Amino acid sequence: MIEILLIPVITAAVCYMLKNYRLISYVSLTGAVTLTGFSMPVIFSSMSSPHEIMGGMLYTDALSGYIMALVIFLGLVSAIYSIGYLEHELKVGLTDIAGMRRYYALLHLFIFTMLLVTVANNLALMWIAVEATTIVSAVLIGFGFRKRALAIEAAWKYIILCTVGITFALLGTFITYYASTAVMGTEGALNWTELKEIAAKLNPSTMKLAFIFVLVGYGTKAGLAPVHNWLPDAHSQAPSPISALLSGILLNTAFYGIMRFVSIVEPSTGEFFTGNLLIIFGLISIGISSVFILVQDNYKRLLAYSSIEHMGIISLGVGIGGPVGIYGALLHILNHALSKPLMFFASGKIQAHYGSTRIENVNGVLSSMPLLGTLTFIGALSLAGTPPFNIFLSEFTILKAGVDKGLWLVVGLFLLFVIIVFYGILSGFGKMLFGTATGLKSESAEEQSVKGAETFKLPNVLTNTTMIVMALSIIALGFKVPDFIDSTIKTCINVLGIR
Amino acid sequence: MKNWIQVFSIIDFISVGILLTAIAMNALRRLESCVRAYMFNSWLLSFLIAIVAFMIGEAHLYMASIVTFLSKGIVIPLFLRKIVKQMKVTHDVEPYISNALSLTISGILVAVVYVSLREGIFVTGFSRNVLQISTAVILIGLFIMISRRKAITQVIGLLFMENGLFLAGFSLTFGMPIIIELGVLFDMLMGVIILGIFAIQIKRAFTSSDLDKLTILKG
């Protein structure tokens, strides 16, 4: 298990030392592929039975394996996408070799910190890892590959808000430790595995206090409204592959922390306390983001608000609870982690092509770039929750869980907001996709032939293949959840102790 | 010696000192004094940990005390002072509200904390006052963050919050395992360094160290 933590660190160090830009990108890719290879056995063995190493500090079970698989998958696709993306930025003079070294080193460190979150058994170690993700990703946003005023503004807001927020999560962790000392006598417990066993004996009012602090803290990081203000700025100013990682998985690693806490807090306080809080935060997030999606004129910010909406839906699923609700939430994590990065990748390409992130400046993507347009179209339909795409399936599962429990008000509000989001996303991207392409630079025949030759270069082929694979899995997951994913999620539900 | 500490309630004195250095932030006009206030606050925090370590005879608390002193009491203040010099800012804090109002609000915060935490969770606490004081320090830190204009004052407010948090954690549980304390301190140190670098970049990019200028991204 320790090797999958070491590989990203080594890759980061090597990337930082190299001086040739092509070499750096392929070393980074090799690192990501090696990581994927080495993580396979760890993930598969964690599915069947939990493992502990380093005296119980690190631990994997099905849930951490599930999130870990997503981190590694998205790390791989971002490493692939970064090659073409950075080569383009280098060519148009937006970055230099120093920027690229910094970018790739930080990218792999970022993957390392997220992996550390998933394997941490000790709740305080998990806090340290979550805070480390904030620091590394803030540097990535601010200095990614070049220094821009707006990116620094976004990074400043991000690091200040998330650090303040997450300070409260540390207080919550302290209070949990305190509650455990009361049960265990002299030495308290912070390991999730130990806390899980004594969870029913913990003092309910102390745990309620702890959970509120943890929810506010990790909720800030997970982008739950009303503490989401950093998210649209950070996501829209980050380089596209980093936006994909932030949105696709970073939010989920923070939410993973909340899920771990829910399963410790619930046995003593009863499920109504945690459930109601999560439902309220979830509905506020969906509601606020739906309004902002409707009036948004910048497509990267639109995608960022859509992330808030989807985190709200996941929170709602966990809040409604029961096997069906949790199943829907975990499936939604996977679906969102496929659709949103695809959209950020596509928007990076659109931005490179049109030189603007405003919706009104982009027209006729489908006619000028048929492949990219189609992929964007699939992603947009999926994000809006159109049947028969994957996100519809998980939203429907959560809806069903709500109906089963008879939470009619929650279901009604959820449906209303989702309809607003549906209209907002499809009208926004509809304006970009259809119509005739205007505002493009007219290209001479020579430039066009250069462009034609580039289409078949390796980075471009790799990027396009990845995006096509992601789009195909979005469609496939919309029809049926494959058996291995189904059984994995069911094991996760068992791990969380939901009956 | 142990009797002395109890008879003269040394622990209460130190924690009140921690509260006073936090409240003093409201009245200070110069950025250098703010950094100094933070430095005293951290010294008092590490001294408090050392006293408690002596009272209950825990070796790992001595370690925690020394590490706190070195990182928060020496490295971070020196780094902040360097940043203040490098930014060549006007040295004035320029709060949004007057000092008198700011002090009043801090006083109200302390009163609210004392009233609302009168009954709650106290079992392992070695002094009844420490938890209230630490919560008050967290809130004052937060208040300083939102009521000051300079980037550096936001960082200092955050640091006060974290000192308050350490004190709270300490009063609840007699400190975490040492490896965890080190990890948290390492994260904090990294965070402060990054924030310092960002503050300099903000100064360069916006030709001002006021955060009022950071309003381009919204909606």
Side-chain angles (χ1 to χ4, degrees), chain B residues 177-209:
Chain B
I178 190 73
I179 177 99
I180 299 300
E181 299 251 12
L182 285 177
V184 173
L185 277 175
F186 176 76
D187 263 2
M188 237 192 78
L189 208 60
M190 283 294 133
V192 171
I193 291 172
I194 300 296
L195 280 169
I197 297 170
F198 275 133
I200 292 176
Q201 294 292 334
I202 287 175
K203 168 88 174 166
R204 280 203 194 128
F206 294 86
T207 59
S208 158
S209 61

Short mmCIF file of all heavy atoms in Angstrom, two decimals, chain B residues 177-209:
data_model
loop_
_atom_site.label_atom_id
_atom_site.label_comp_id
_atom_site.label_asym_id
_atom_site.label_seq_id
_atom_site.Cartn_x
_atom_site.Cartn_y
_atom_site.Cartn_z
N PRO B 177 -1.62 12.92 20.06
CA PRO B 177 -0.34 12.24 19.91
C PRO B 177 0.65 13.14 19.17
O PRO B 177 0.26 13.91 18.31
CB PRO B 177 -0.69 11.01 19.06
CG PRO B 177 -2.13 10.80 19.28
CD PRO B 177 -2.73 12.12 19.60
N ILE B 178 1.93 13.02 19.52
CA ILE B 178 2.91 13.99 19.05
C ILE B 178 3.04 14.00 17.53
O ILE B 178 3.21 15.05 16.91
CB ILE B 178 4.29 13.74 19.72
CG1 ILE B 178 5.25 14.89 19.44
CG2 ILE B 178 4.90 12.43 19.29
CD1 ILE B 178 4.95 16.13 20.19
N ILE B 179 2.88 12.83 16.90
CA ILE B 179 3.02 12.77 15.44
C ILE B 179 1.95 13.62 14.76
O ILE B 179 2.19 14.31 13.77
CB ILE B 179 2.98 11.30 14.95
CG1 ILE B 179 3.04 11.20 13.44
CG2 ILE B 179 1.77 10.56 15.44
CD1 ILE B 179 4.40 10.90 12.95
N ILE B 180 0.74 13.62 15.37
CA ILE B 180 -0.35 14.41 14.81
C ILE B 180 -0.06 15.90 14.99
O ILE B 180 -0.24 16.71 14.08
CB ILE B 180 -1.67 14.04 15.51
CG1 ILE B 180 -2.00 12.56 15.28
CG2 ILE B 180 -2.80 14.91 15.04
CD1 ILE B 180 -2.16 12.19 13.84
N GLU B 181 0.41 16.26 16.19
CA GLU B 181 0.75 17.67 16.44
C GLU B 181 1.75 18.16 15.41
O GLU B 181 1.63 19.26 14.86
CB GLU B 181 1.35 17.84 17.83
CG GLU B 181 0.43 17.43 18.95
CD GLU B 181 -0.07 18.63 19.74
OE1 GLU B 181 0.15 19.74 19.26
OE2 GLU B 181 -0.66 18.42 20.81
N LEU B 182 2.77 17.31 15.16
CA LEU B 182 3.80 17.71 14.19
C LEU B 182 3.19 17.89 12.81
O LEU B 182 3.50 18.86 12.11
CB LEU B 182 4.91 16.65 14.15
CG LEU B 182 5.85 16.64 15.33
CD1 LEU B 182 6.86 15.52 15.20
CD2 LEU B 182 6.58 17.97 15.44
N GLY B 183 2.31 16.97 12.42
CA GLY B 183 1.69 17.07 11.11
C GLY B 183 0.89 18.35 10.97
O GLY B 183 0.98 19.05 9.96
N VAL B 184 0.09 18.66 12.01
CA VAL B 184 -0.73 19.86 11.95
C VAL B 184 0.16 21.10 11.87
O VAL B 184 -0.08 22.01 11.07
CB VAL B 184 -1.65 19.93 13.20
CG1 VAL B 184 -2.38 21.25 13.25
CG2 VAL B 184 -2.65 18.79 13.18
N LEU B 185 1.23 21.11 12.67
CA LEU B 185 2.14 22.27 12.64
C LEU B 185 2.81 22.41 11.28
O LEU B 185 2.97 23.52 10.77
CB LEU B 185 3.21 22.13 13.72
CG LEU B 185 2.80 22.59 15.10
CD1 LEU B 185 3.89 22.29 16.09
CD2 LEU B 185 2.51 24.08 15.09
N PHE B 186 3.17 21.28 10.69
CA PHE B 186 3.81 21.32 9.38
C PHE B 186 2.87 21.93 8.35
O PHE B 186 3.26 22.82 7.58
CB PHE B 186 4.23 19.91 8.96
CG PHE B 186 4.80 19.83 7.59
CD1 PHE B 186 6.08 20.27 7.34
CD2 PHE B 186 4.05 19.34 6.54
CE1 PHE B 186 6.61 20.21 6.07
CE2 PHE B 186 4.58 19.26 5.26
CZ PHE B 186 5.85 19.71 5.03
N ASP B 187 1.60 21.46 8.37
CA ASP B 187 0.60 22.01 7.45
C ASP B 187 0.47 23.52 7.63
O ASP B 187 0.41 24.28 6.67
CB ASP B 187 -0.76 21.38 7.74
CG ASP B 187 -1.04 20.23 6.80
OD1 ASP B 187 -0.16 19.94 5.98
OD2 ASP B 187 -2.11 19.63 6.90
N MET B 188 0.43 23.93 8.93
CA MET B 188 0.25 25.35 9.22
C MET B 188 1.41 26.17 8.69
O MET B 188 1.23 27.23 8.09
CB MET B 188 0.20 25.51 10.72
CG MET B 188 -1.02 26.16 11.22
SD MET B 188 -0.73 26.55 12.92
CE MET B 188 0.28 27.98 12.73
N LEU B 189 2.61 25.65 8.93
CA LEU B 189 3.81 26.35 8.49
C LEU B 189 3.79 26.53 6.98
O LEU B 189 4.02 27.62 6.45
CB LEU B 189 5.03 25.54 8.92
CG LEU B 189 6.32 26.27 9.17
CD1 LEU B 189 6.12 27.27 10.27
CD2 LEU B 189 7.40 25.28 9.54
N MET B 190 3.47 25.44 6.28
CA MET B 190 3.38 25.49 4.81
C MET B 190 2.33 26.52 4.39
O MET B 190 2.57 27.34 3.50
CB MET B 190 2.96 24.11 4.27
CG MET B 190 4.07 23.11 4.25
SD MET B 190 5.28 23.66 3.08
CE MET B 190 6.75 23.48 3.92
N GLY B 191 1.18 26.46 5.06
CA GLY B 191 0.10 27.37 4.72
C GLY B 191 0.52 28.82 4.87
O GLY B 191 0.27 29.65 4.00
N VAL B 192 1.22 29.13 5.97
CA VAL B 192 1.64 30.51 6.20
C VAL B 192 2.64 30.95 5.14
O VAL B 192 2.57 32.07 4.62
CB VAL B 192 2.24 30.67 7.62
CG1 VAL B 192 2.87 32.02 7.79
CG2 VAL B 192 1.15 30.47 8.65
N ILE B 193 3.56 30.04 4.80
CA ILE B 193 4.56 30.40 3.79
C ILE B 193 3.87 30.70 2.45
O ILE B 193 4.14 31.72 1.80
CB ILE B 193 5.59 29.28 3.63
CG1 ILE B 193 6.44 29.21 4.90
CG2 ILE B 193 6.47 29.50 2.42
CD1 ILE B 193 7.36 28.03 4.96
N ILE B 194 2.93 29.81 2.07
CA ILE B 194 2.23 30.03 0.80
C ILE B 194 1.44 31.34 0.84
O ILE B 194 1.46 32.13 -0.11
CB ILE B 194 1.27 28.85 0.53
CG1 ILE B 194 2.04 27.52 0.45
CG2 ILE B 194 0.48 29.08 -0.74
CD1 ILE B 194 2.99 27.43 -0.67
N LEU B 195 0.75 31.58 1.98
CA LEU B 195 -0.03 32.82 2.08
C LEU B 195 0.88 34.03 1.98
O LEU B 195 0.52 35.04 1.37
CB LEU B 195 -0.80 32.85 3.39
CG LEU B 195 -2.08 32.03 3.41
CD1 LEU B 195 -2.62 31.92 4.81
CD2 LEU B 195 -3.11 32.66 2.51
N GLY B 196 2.08 33.94 2.60
CA GLY B 196 3.02 35.05 2.51
C GLY B 196 3.42 35.32 1.08
O GLY B 196 3.43 36.47 0.62
N ILE B 197 3.70 34.23 0.34
CA ILE B 197 4.09 34.41 -1.06
C ILE B 197 2.94 35.01 -1.85
O ILE B 197 3.12 35.94 -2.65
CB ILE B 197 4.52 33.06 -1.67
CG1 ILE B 197 5.75 32.54 -0.93
CG2 ILE B 197 4.82 33.21 -3.14
CD1 ILE B 197 6.11 31.13 -1.26
N PHE B 198 1.72 34.51 -1.58
CA PHE B 198 0.56 35.07 -2.29
C PHE B 198 0.39 36.55 -1.96
O PHE B 198 0.04 37.34 -2.84
CB PHE B 198 -0.71 34.31 -1.91
CG PHE B 198 -0.94 33.08 -2.73
CD1 PHE B 198 -1.28 31.88 -2.13
CD2 PHE B 198 -0.80 33.11 -4.10
CE1 PHE B 198 -1.48 30.74 -2.88
CE2 PHE B 198 -1.00 31.97 -4.85
CZ PHE B 198 -1.34 30.79 -4.23
N ALA B 199 0.62 36.92 -0.68
CA ALA B 199 0.44 38.32 -0.29
C ALA B 199 1.37 39.20 -1.11
O ALA B 199 0.97 40.28 -1.59
CB ALA B 199 0.69 38.49 1.19
N ILE B 200 2.62 38.75 -1.29
CA ILE B 200 3.56 39.54 -2.09
C ILE B 200 3.08 39.62 -3.54
O ILE B 200 3.14 40.68 -4.18
CB ILE B 200 4.96 38.92 -2.00
CG1 ILE B 200 5.48 39.11 -0.57
CG2 ILE B 200 5.91 39.58 -2.99
CD1 ILE B 200 6.80 38.47 -0.34
N GLN B 201 2.56 38.49 -4.04
CA GLN B 201 2.07 38.49 -5.42
C GLN B 201 0.87 39.42 -5.58
O GLN B 201 0.73 40.08 -6.61
CB GLN B 201 1.68 37.07 -5.84
CG GLN B 201 2.85 36.11 -5.91
CD GLN B 201 3.80 36.45 -7.02
OE1 GLN B 201 3.41 37.06 -8.01
NE2 GLN B 201 5.06 36.08 -6.86
N ILE B 202 0.01 39.45 -4.58
CA ILE B 202 -1.15 40.36 -4.65
C ILE B 202 -0.67 41.79 -4.72
O ILE B 202 -1.13 42.59 -5.53
CB ILE B 202 -2.06 40.17 -3.42
CG1 ILE B 202 -2.82 38.86 -3.53
CG2 ILE B 202 -3.04 41.31 -3.27
CD1 ILE B 202 -3.64 38.54 -2.31
N LYS B 203 0.32 42.09 -3.89
CA LYS B 203 0.90 43.44 -3.89
C LYS B 203 1.42 43.79 -5.29
O LYS B 203 1.22 44.90 -5.79
CB LYS B 203 2.02 43.47 -2.85
CG LYS B 203 2.90 44.68 -2.91
CD LYS B 203 2.34 45.80 -2.09
CE LYS B 203 3.34 46.93 -2.05
NZ LYS B 203 2.74 48.15 -1.55
N ARG B 204 2.08 42.82 -5.93
CA ARG B 204 2.65 43.08 -7.26
C ARG B 204 1.56 43.21 -8.31
O ARG B 204 1.56 44.11 -9.13
CB ARG B 204 3.57 41.93 -7.67
CG ARG B 204 4.90 42.06 -7.03
CD ARG B 204 5.97 41.31 -7.81
NE ARG B 204 7.13 41.21 -6.94
CZ ARG B 204 7.76 40.09 -6.68
NH1 ARG B 204 7.40 38.98 -7.27
NH2 ARG B 204 8.77 40.08 -5.87
N ALA B 205 0.60 42.26 -8.26
CA ALA B 205 -0.39 42.20 -9.34
C ALA B 205 -1.39 43.33 -9.25
O ALA B 205 -1.81 43.87 -10.26
CB ALA B 205 -1.10 40.86 -9.31
N PHE B 206 -1.79 43.70 -8.02
CA PHE B 206 -2.82 44.71 -7.88
C PHE B 206 -2.24 46.04 -7.42
O PHE B 206 -2.99 46.97 -7.12
CB PHE B 206 -3.88 44.24 -6.88
CG PHE B 206 -4.66 43.04 -7.35
CD1 PHE B 206 -4.18 41.77 -7.12
CD2 PHE B 206 -5.85 43.19 -8.04
CE1 PHE B 206 -4.88 40.67 -7.56
CE2 PHE B 206 -6.55 42.10 -8.48
CZ PHE B 206 -6.07 40.83 -8.24
N THR B 207 -0.91 46.12 -7.31
CA THR B 207 -0.20 47.28 -6.78
C THR B 207 -0.84 47.81 -5.51
O THR B 207 -0.98 49.01 -5.31
CB THR B 207 -0.11 48.44 -7.80
OG1 THR B 207 -1.43 48.82 -8.16
CG2 THR B 207 0.68 48.04 -9.01
N SER B 208 -1.27 46.91 -4.66
CA SER B 208 -1.87 47.30 -3.39
C SER B 208 -1.92 46.04 -2.53
O SER B 208 -2.07 44.95 -3.04
CB SER B 208 -3.28 47.82 -3.60
OG SER B 208 -3.99 47.71 -2.39
N SER B 209 -1.79 46.23 -1.23
CA SER B 209 -1.92 45.06 -0.38
C SER B 209 -3.29 45.03 0.27
O SER B 209 -3.55 44.26 1.16
CB SER B 209 -0.84 45.04 0.69
OG SER B 209 -0.99 46.17 1.49
#
